[in-house]
Each structure stands twice: as structure tokens, then as C-alpha cells.
Amino acid sequence: MRPLADPANPPPVRQRARYEVAVAVLRGQGDLRPTDELVRAYFADLDGEESADRLQEASTLLMYALGAKARGRTTLRVEELVEIGDRLRARVGELLNGLPPPNRRARLLSTLGHLNIQPDPHRLAESEETTDLPDMRGWIDENDELIVEPSAQAVPAEFLVDLNAAMAAWMELTHGLDRAPLYPVDDLASMLGVLAPVLIDHPDWREL
């Protein structure tokens, strides 16, 4: 699949290839370093992205990268990860400000919550030695996508990007579900189930 990631290919093709190769190598070899440059190219190519699905995919890849960083399995720098997260949140915010239709809005809100529930790269305790990644099989949904990076469920709220912003996004999403019948609510339910230990003390948890 690597030849498809070449910059000469159309953006949708090369972006999908970059994502699939990076995830396959990380999950197959437990190491992101062989594909770090593909990951950098993937995130550099996201400017102007319109697809809610691709932005969710980008959030998933960022979560993978954060997990790899914590275990010394990537050369991506903390500053890079911070910039990527900031850029993704800003882009999702721009699209939400454009008042998208309900189903698209629900997907964007789900992604915004996912981006804000990730570990803050500034607070990430990078391993001085490379350590093994945990078994991913229990953290993949029915669409073969990462629900949440395996260590995230045990991360204290103060070590997350912005727990309140994540909850606000998901609260808005759930309040609009009656107008978004095509939104795959099972994805959100799976993620909230995994994150319950982090979210249960939040004042909005019971209503969510």
C-alpha cells in the first residue's frame, strides 16, 4: 500500500494509504517509528479537510501517536503533537461554525469530544525506554477503529486536553440526536463506556 501514499496520487488516495499503513505497522509491529514520516505527511496534508469522517480518522491517528509517544515508539515531538491537536480542533470548530446539517454536525461534535478527551501532550510522561504497546484487540470497535488509546481510561482529568470541552461537545451531540437519525450512536456509546472511569465524576455525566 505504500506506493499509494506517494504525494503524486490524488489527496483522498494518498491520505487513506498513509493512515492505513501507519495503523497497520503500529498495530502489527507495536512501533510507529517506521511510518513517522507518513504520519507527518498525513497531518501536513489535512489543511482545508471537509470530510467529517476523515477528521475523525485524523483524531484516531493522533490518539495512536500519543500512545506511541508515551512508550517511546515514535520520533514525533511533543510540539508537533500539540500543533496537530490544536489544528484539528480549530478545523472542526470552523466547520461547526458553518452550521452543517444535523447528521454531519453530530459527527463533528463526536470528533471534537474525542480530540479534547485525549491526553495533553504537554503532560505526557514519555518513557525513557521503549515499552511494549498494550494489546489493542480489546480497544477496537466493530468498524476496526480505535475507540480510545488504551491508557486513556486511567488518565486523571487534569492530564486530558480539556475534559469540560469534551463533555460540552457530547452533551450538544446527544441533545440533537433526535434530528440526526443517521449518526452511528453505537460509536459514541462504546467510547463513553470505555471512558466512564474518567467521566463519572463530571457534573454532566448523569445527564449525558
Side-chain angles (χ1 to χ4, degrees), residues 1 4 6 12 37 40 59 76 80 93 125 151 191:
M1 199 177 293
L4 295 177
D6 189 276
E37 293 312 310
R40 287 188 172 99
S59 181
L76 289 164
E80 289 181 271
S151 64
M191 182 161 55

Side-chain angles (χ1 to χ4, degrees), residues 117 163 167 170 192 195-203 205 208:
I117 205 70
L163 175 59
M167 289 294 286
W170 290 332
L192 294 179
L195 290 169
V198 175
L199 304 178
I200 195 168
D201 292 326
H202 193 279
W205 171 248
L208 179 63

Side-chain angles (χ1 to χ4, degrees), residues 131-186:
T131 56
D132 291 338
L133 288 169
D135 189 341
M136 295 284 184
R137 287 174 296 181
W139 303 90
I140 305 299
D141 67 16
E142 61 273 16
N143 297 315
D144 205 34
E145 292 293 337
L146 182 72
I147 299 171
V148 63
E149 202 279 323
S151 64
Q153 69 161 358
V155 175
E158 62 269 22
F159 283 83
L160 303 175
V161 172
D162 192 335
L163 175 59
N164 289 328
M167 289 294 286
W170 290 332
M171 289 287 286
E172 182 180 344
L173 189 168
T174 53
H175 280 288
L177 281 177
D178 58 334
R179 299 184 300 279
L182 300 182
Y183 172 73
V185 71
D186 284 353

Side-chain angles (χ1 to χ4, degrees), residues 75-116:
T75 64
L76 289 164
R77 303 185 309 277
V78 167
E79 295 77 16
E80 289 181 271
L81 296 170
V82 170
E83 190 271 338
I84 290 167
D86 288 345
R87 213 156 34 92
L88 285 173
R89 283 185 290 276
R91 182 57 182 156
V92 173
E94 289 173 5
L95 295 174
L96 286 169
N97 288 337
L99 302 178
N103 289 297
R104 177 171 165 78
R105 185 172 190 85
R107 287 182 174 274
L108 290 169
L109 287 168
S110 177
T111 298
L112 186 60
H114 191 261
L115 285 165
N116 279 298

Side-chain angles (χ1 to χ4, degrees), residues 36-87:
D36 277 347
E37 293 312 310
L38 284 183
V39 173
R40 287 188 172 99
Y42 176 92
F43 286 118
D45 226 2
L46 275 177
D47 288 343
E49 180 60 67
E50 297 282 344
S51 169
D53 288 340
R54 296 290 76 79
L55 289 167
Q56 177 62 54
E57 173 187 273
S59 181
T60 299
L61 186 56
L62 177 57
M63 185 71 91
Y64 272 123
L66 289 165
K69 183 64 176 174
R71 295 169 180 85
R73 296 285 182 170
T74 179
T75 64
L76 289 164
R77 303 185 309 277
V78 167
E79 295 77 16
E80 289 181 271
L81 296 170
V82 170
E83 190 271 338
I84 290 167
D86 288 345
R87 213 156 34 92

